[in-house]
Amino acid sequence: MAEIEKVKIIPSPEVRVPNDHITALLDHGAFFEGKLTFEGTVRIGGHFKGEIFTQDTLVINPGAKVEAQIEADIVVLSGELSGNIFARKRVIMHPPAIFRGTVTSPSLRIDEGVVFEGASYVSAN
């Protein structure tokens, strides 16, 4: 009888954000309206409406609902976002993400299963 090999699937380094590197968390059930400025990595799992500015990483979790103008180095989207993204490095969208708006970034990855309604522009960094 053949042995079954166990395989550990590790997300690519560009999207993996260990929990111990999270600067702040707006979790499921929370609502914030206003202007968010931060350093490090922030995860949003609840509802956010307003503006987000960072030189670092924004992660929008599945189930999150965000209406915002976003300026960040990296944006990882798995929730719902209406607004505009200006990313200095890259934007990554995973299902079940729903995006409505405009993305401007030197790198944009949209995985199969993502709903994208809007426009994308490639910037030269």
Side-chain angles (χ1 to χ4, degrees):
M1 189 171 214
E3 277 188 39
I4 298 175
E5 182 179 342
K6 291 185 179 180
V7 177
K8 184 176 181 181
I9 298 173
I10 300 173
S12 66
E14 66 183 353
V15 298
R16 189 175 5 144
V17 181
N19 285 332
D20 60 343
H21 289 90
I22 302 296
T23 303
L25 175 66
L26 179 68
D27 211 355
H28 180 76
F31 178 85
F32 182 84
E33 185 170 349
K35 184 176 178 180
L36 177 63
T37 303
F38 63 89
E39 293 179 3
T41 299
V42 169
R43 283 188 189 267
I44 296 177
H47 294 253
F48 180 91
K49 184 176 183 178
E51 299 174 304
I52 301 172
F53 299 97
T54 184
Q55 298 292 321
D56 295 308
T57 302
L58 172 67
V59 179
I60 301 173
N61 286 344
K65 293 189 186 292
V66 177
E67 292 179 50
Q69 304 303 309
I70 298 171
E71 184 177 319
D73 271 5
I74 300 169
V75 177
V76 180
L77 176 64
S78 298
E80 185 174 338
L81 172 61
S82 295
N84 300 310
I85 300 173
F86 175 80
R88 286 176 287 280
K89 292 184 179 176
R90 65 186 163 268
V91 175
I92 302 161
M93 297 183 186
H94 301 293
I98 299 171
F99 176 77
R100 294 178 183 91
T102 301
V103 175
T104 303
S105 176
S107 174
L108 172 61
R109 186 175 96 199
I110 303 172
D111 292 343
E112 185 175 350
V114 170
V115 175
F116 186 99
E117 296 176 1
S120 63
Y121 300 95
V122 176
S123 60
N125 285 353

